[in-house]
Each structure stands twice: as structure tokens, then as C-alpha cells.
């Protein structure tokens, strides 16, 4: 993993495995911009990239970035994703599950959903 042990969230384009975002990926900072960027995404990879850098909810951004800074002792030596977690699975799936839940030391650490936290 090239994200290293830096404190805080992985930066887009750092080389984190599976990161679709680049330093130039547009960042939503308001609900209106979330809607605009999501509606304008030409494919699922672009949508995942835009979602993974979203900063529209200041409270959630502060929480996930704090967790990526102040790590649990069991994971202190591991890099943390610290950004919104993108989807997985085929882009043409018949069912899409959308949710919002803190992922503390599971998804927030690994960048993948359903990776150990009870949430």
C-alpha cells in the first residue's frame, strides 16, 4: 500500500489500491454540488471517485478524519483510508443498497465496506 502511515485520510491519487479518485477529482462541498456531480457522472467508477472525496457533511468529515488521525491501538501501525467508502460489485447490478453509517476502524481504515465494524 503506498498510502503509508501518514496520519489522516489517504489523499486522492496516493496509490491506495482501488482508489478511483485523482487529485483533480471534483469535490462536493454542499448538497447541491453532490447532486450535480452525481448526476453528471458518466459511469460507476467516476461516481465512486467523486463519492470518495465528498466533503458535503462537515460533521461526518470531521469524525472520519479524526478516526484516521487518532487510531485504535490495535491498528496504530496501519494506514487509514479516512475517506468515504466507495461501492463494490457490478455496475449493472439489479439491486443497489445505499446507506450511511460510520465505519470507524473497519471501512474507515481499509476503504472497503463490511470490514469488521459492527456498524
Amino acid at each position: 500500500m503506498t498510502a503509508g502511515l501518514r496520519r489522516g485520510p489517504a489523499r486522492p491519487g496516493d496509490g491506495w489500491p482501488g482508489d478511483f479518485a485523482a487529485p483533480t477529482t471534483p469535490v462536493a462541498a454542499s448538497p447541491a454540488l453532490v447532486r450535480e456531480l452525481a448526476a453528471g457522472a458518466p459511469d460507476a467508477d467516476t461516481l465512486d471517485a467523486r463519492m470518495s472525496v465528498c466533503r458535503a457533511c462537515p460533521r461526518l468529515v470531521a469524525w472520519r478524519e479524526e478516526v484516521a488521525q487518532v487510531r485504535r491501538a490495535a491498528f496504530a501501525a496501519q494506514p487509514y483510508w479516512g475517506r468515504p467508502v466507495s461501492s463494490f460489485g457490478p455496475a449493472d447490478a439489479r439491486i443497489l443498497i445505499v446507506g450511511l453509517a460510520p465505519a470507524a476502524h473497519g471501512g474507515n481504515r481499509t476503504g472497503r465496506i463490511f470490514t469488521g465494524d459492527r456498524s
Side-chain angles (χ1 to χ4, degrees):
M1 218 172 279
T2 59
L5 293 179
R6 172 189 338 102
R7 296 285 183 193
R11 294 186 189 117
D14 270 355
W16 192 286
D19 186 2
F20 293 108
T24 57
T25 300
V27 177
S30 69
L33 196 49
V34 167
R35 286 188 295 275
E36 179 183 325
L37 291 174
D43 55 44
D45 289 349
T46 302
L47 182 60
D48 273 343
R50 291 175 179 181
M51 181 178 57
S52 78
V53 296
C54 185
R55 301 186 68 79
C57 179
R59 191 171 134 235
L60 186 56
V61 169
W63 178 85
R64 73 170 187 252
E65 290 184 358
E66 179 183 342
V67 170
Q69 290 266 12
V70 183
R71 302 167 182 189
R72 214 167 106 193
F75 306 117
Q78 296 181 18
Y80 268 59
W81 172 249
R83 292 176 21 211
V85 179
S86 60
S87 66
F88 74 96
D92 62 348
R94 291 181 348 155
I95 298 173
L96 171 67
I97 299 171
V98 178
L100 173 64
H105 303 283
N108 200 24
R109 177 174 48 85
T110 65
R112 299 283 304 183
I113 62 173
F114 309 123
T115 54
D117 284 336
R118 289 183 223 161
S119 62

